[in-house]
Amino acid sequence: MKAYELGCSLCGRTFPNDSLRLRCTECGEALDTPVIKEGKIKPTEKPGQNVLERYSDFFPFLNLEDDTRLGEGLTPLIQDDVLAAEVGVAALFFKNETINPSWSFKDRGTATGIILAKNLGHDKIGTVSTGNMAVSVAAYGSRAGIKTLVLVSSTIAEEKLNPIAIYDPCLVKVKGDYSKMYDVALELGEKLGIAFINSDATMRVAGYKTIAYEICEQNNFEAPDYVIVATSAGGQMRGIFQGFLDFSHSGYINRLPAMIAAQASGCAPIAAAFEKGQSKVSCFENPNTIAGAIQNPFPPSGNAVLRILKEYGGFTVTGSDDEMLTAQRRLGSRGLFVQPESALTLAVVKKLVASGKIKAGAKVVCVLSGSGLKYTAALEKHALKAHTCRLEDAEGFVSEVF
Ligand SMILES: Cc1ncc(COP(=O)(O)O)c(C=O)c1O
Ligand SMILES: [Zn+2]
């Protein structure tokens, strides 16, 4: 593994890339991998190229030989002219992250996180999550043949527990204040030598850069005007933005998109701070939303997200549970089945056009971060219908209803 420096996203202090350190020892803010200024895409004729092979120049701080491949990334960017006309923008694209190996964008960051853990000689990894990240780390941990600890809240629904357990990690339900688990895990990691790949771990965040590289390539090396990202801890937003920054410095795009952090109105600590012009997020009291995957009341990378939005012309937006469900249904009718958290990105576009925050002629990308199959309980809210008929009546019945 090559020696590189990680930089504090606030004070700029640098640290060697020789540990799993994710916070600045001076100011406590998140650390970033360095911006890549001379990266080159490495295309190949070979089908099934690995995403990290294609963009290996942009990960000089990792020894990619320790790769654990499950086919993450290289997901489609789907243009939808019907929905573009409906919401009132010139072009609307969906980056379909639901087709990743464990059906969410998390796989990109889990892959890079595990590579770093292996590069550093760790033989144990872990994560704290009740949702997509738990599933992803469990899947990649098993694939890598590395001992994997997954800490979940004891109140986790059975529907979410079994899709983690199937990969055979050491799965522990923790009783008590789950919001303290992030910090407890980092201490545990130090003491027991477990490489925790949590929501905003530096190398997990770096893995999300590839979402931006692909969007640029799929859009003829033109950055969209806006990229909308469902935001909780802030890792996904940070990573995607870093990707656009790399491509801009490396000469692949000539401007940056405005990033939009979408949050559930029932848990919107970053949006609340942004609207008040604050530079620091505060804990969001009494969070309550169906969007469990983005319900982090005190996001560890919240301040870093605020800095990106402020410095580069981005902003926040919120959407209600009903708005997410309506958008989920509408996306279903366009062939895309995503979780309500991901549908939030569509839900907010119309509002943003109406309020003039997104210009009518804009090109917009919504990141569809996770599959609808992750949370089938949401389906019950839709009152979905099916017809029934007797076999002998089929012809008459179908002619009537179809
Ligand atoms: C489906 C989905 N979308 C968005 C997010 C938000 O990502 P982040 O916590 O990195 O902000 C998550 C996080 O778990 C998620 O599972
Ligand atoms: Zn610092």
Side-chain angles (χ1 to χ4, degrees), residues 324-377:
M324 284 183 238
L325 289 169
T326 305
Q328 184 187 39
R329 189 83 200 268
R330 190 68 188 107
L331 281 166
S333 72
R334 298 295 301 151
L336 294 162
F337 179 31
V338 305
Q339 47 185 119
E341 293 81 350
S342 311
L344 170 66
T345 58
L346 171 65
V348 298
V349 185
K350 210 172 181 168
K351 294 205 282 196
L352 291 171
V353 175
S355 68
K357 284 195 123 179
I358 284 186
K359 289 167 236 100
K363 272 192 181 178
V364 180
V365 173
C366 294
V367 180
L368 300 182
S369 45
S371 164
L373 284 171
K374 294 292 188 141
Y375 182 52
T376 51

Side-chain angles (χ1 to χ4, degrees), residues 114 117 123-127 137 141 146-149 194-197:
I114 291 194
D123 58 0
K124 291 177 231 152
I125 58 162
T127 199
V137 170
I146 198 164
K147 276 179 93 177
T148 304
L149 175 69
I194 306 165
F196 269 91
I197 309 170

Side-chain angles (χ1 to χ4, degrees), residues 10-21:
L10 177 63
C11 74
R13 200 187 142 112
T14 56
F15 298 86
N17 182 29
D18 60 355
S19 72
L20 293 160
R21 187 186 296 113

Side-chain angles (χ1 to χ4, degrees), residues 163-175:
I164 307 169
I166 190 75
Y167 296 109
D168 245 352
C170 174
L171 181 53
V172 182
K173 293 199 223 176
V174 183
K175 292 184 184 168

Side-chain angles (χ1 to χ4, degrees), residues 7-13 15 23-31:
C8 172
S9 58
L10 177 63
C11 74
R13 200 187 142 112
F15 298 86
R23 301 259 149 217
C24 174
T25 49
E26 286 296 299
C27 72
E29 281 296 300
L31 300 183

Side-chain angles (χ1 to χ4, degrees), residues 103-106 129 131-133 199-200 204-205 208 229-238 270 292-294 296 305 339 341-342 367-371 374:
W103 309 285
S104 87
F105 76 100
K106 293 278 182 183
S129 162
N132 288 324
M133 193 164 53
S199 53
D200 70 337
R204 165 176 290 290
V205 170
Y208 302 149
V229 182
T231 304
S232 182
Q236 184 182 205
M237 162 65 83
R238 280 176 57 211
I270 301 176
I294 54 169
N296 188 331
V305 168
Q339 47 185 119
E341 293 81 350
S342 311
V367 180
L368 300 182
S369 45
S371 164
K374 294 292 188 141

